[in-house]
């Protein structure tokens, strides 16, 4: 099992350009998440999905859109990139266990720079 | 608005010593308190998690101490080793209306273990 994979690993954009980050998981998890990690800020939740076709906003959703057309994939889109979106983006997935903590499994990250 | 406060920002400990990282939270609705470990260039990975009705949880050299009345919890790493050098994030989890756990992370502690 590859776990959670992210594409691409690195990307440089110019202000105003658009791009899509792809997250894929092969663990059949119901839930998927997008976070951004900035120095001194920890990880902050952007959007999450609780199943195919169902998404919800997290803590910092502005400037991002998401889609989950297939259970194994979760896409994060930037329609018009801004320098403030320079960050490392992590995708995660989890399953419902009911009786214990639902561990989130993280991908390796995408480092995005917006010039 | 930082709902989970973490300290210190960085920590240097000698090999064999005890590393202690502290966190405090505000929202009493949190239902799990996990710790994640992150190595450079990698995504975070779950280290250990505790429920608020338990005062201590130990897994190998890693122990979480939890003080519900003070709304504080801490990670203790006994017999710290150079391989423990990483960034550690405390987090607090809350069950969403959809049945998944949403995480709020602390700002992270960069731990360095010196020989």
């Amino acid at each position: 099992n590859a776990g959670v994979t992210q594409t691409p690993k690195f990307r440089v954009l110019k202000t105003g350009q658009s791009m899509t980050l792809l997250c894929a998981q092969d663990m059949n998890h119901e839930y998927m998440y997008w976070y951004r990690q900035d120095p001194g800020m920890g990880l902050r939740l952007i959007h999450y999905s609780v199943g195919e076709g169902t998404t919800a906003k997290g803590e910092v959703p502005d400037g991002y859109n998401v889609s989950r057309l297939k259970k194994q994939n979760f896409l994060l889109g930037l329609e018009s990139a801004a320098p403030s979106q320079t960050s490392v983006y992590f995708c995660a997935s989890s399953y419902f266990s009911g009786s214990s903590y639902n561990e989130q499994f993280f991908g390796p990250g995408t480092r995005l720079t917006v010039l | 608005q930082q709902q989970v406060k973490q300290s210190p920002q960085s920590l240097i400990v000698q090999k064999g010593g005890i590393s202690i990282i502290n966190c405090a939270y505000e929202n009493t609705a949190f239902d799990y308190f996990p710790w994640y470990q992150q190595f450079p260039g990698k995504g975070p990975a779950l280290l250990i998690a505790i429920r608020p009705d338990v005062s201590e949880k130990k897994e190998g050299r890693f122990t979480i101490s939890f003080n519900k009345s003070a709304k504080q919890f801490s990670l203790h790493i006994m017999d710290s080793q150079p391989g423990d050098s990483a960034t550690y994030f405390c987090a607090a989890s809350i069950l969403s209306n959809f049945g998944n756990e949403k995480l709020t992370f602390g700002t992270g502690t960069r731990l360095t273990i010196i020989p």
Side-chain angles (χ1 to χ4, degrees):
Chain A
N1 287 349
V4 179
T5 58
Q6 293 183 231
T7 309
K9 289 185 170 49
F10 303 94
R11 185 72 186 268
V12 178
L13 288 179
K14 294 182 179 179
T15 297
Q17 287 185 320
S18 63
M19 78 161 294
T20 300
L21 281 68
L22 171 63
C23 176
Q25 53 95 4
D26 62 1
M27 297 175 283
N28 202 35
H29 286 173
E30 296 91 348
Y31 311 123
M32 297 186 75
Y33 311 81
W34 276 107
Y35 293 89
R36 59 177 290 172
Q37 183 176 28
D38 302 291
M41 303 286 287
L43 288 91
R44 292 179 292 168
L45 182 64
I46 304 171
H47 286 281
Y48 63 99
S49 169
V50 298
E52 275 184 48
T54 306
T55 63
K57 294 180 179 180
E59 182 186 352
V60 288
D62 294 343
Y64 305 95
N65 57 75
V66 289
S67 64
R68 189 150 177 220
L69 300 179
K70 295 182 180 180
K71 186 176 185 179
Q72 63 268 34
N73 295 337
F74 194 28
L75 278 62
L76 178 71
L78 286 73
E79 291 184 349
S80 179
S84 61
Q85 294 177 304
T86 294
S87 187
V88 181
Y89 291 86
F90 288 99
C91 176
S93 70
S94 68
Y95 61 94
F96 179 74
S97 69
S99 60
S100 63
Y101 172 62
N102 302 333
E103 177 182 354
Q104 291 187 19
F105 296 83
F106 284 80
T110 294
R111 184 173 294 274
L112 174 66
T113 301
V114 183
L115 302 176
Chain B
Q1 179 186 355
Q2 188 67 41
Q3 290 195 50
V4 179
K5 296 184 179 180
Q6 183 172 348
S7 63
Q9 189 175 358
S10 63
L11 182 61
I12 299 174
V13 174
Q14 260 191 322
K15 180 182 175 182
I18 302 174
S19 304
I20 302 174
I21 304 170
N22 300 300
C23 286
Y25 65 97
E26 298 167 5
N27 188 347
T28 56
F30 289 133
D31 59 356
Y32 273 100
F33 297 87
W35 285 87
Y36 280 80
Q37 180 188 54
Q38 184 180 30
F39 293 103
K42 304 292 185 182
L46 179 67
L47 190 61
I48 187 173
I50 195 169
R51 292 171 52 123
D53 55 353
V54 176
S55 61
E56 185 176 282
K57 184 174 182 180
K58 184 176 182 179
E59 289 185 2
R61 296 184 294 108
F62 300 90
T63 300
I64 300 178
S65 297
F66 190 84
N67 186 330
K68 189 173 182 178
S69 61
K71 293 191 282 188
Q72 296 175 347
F73 58 109
S74 59
L75 176 69
H76 292 65
I77 306 174
M78 311 299 288
D79 187 27
S80 299
Q81 299 298 311
D84 297 330
S85 296
T87 299
Y88 292 81
F89 292 95
C90 64
S93 181
I94 192 165
L95 194 64
S96 82
N97 293 335
F98 298 103
N100 64 307
E101 298 279 353
K102 290 170 57 180
L103 289 174
T104 299
F105 283 88
T107 51
T109 296
R110 179 173 290 186
L111 175 64
T112 304
I113 308 301
I114 57 175

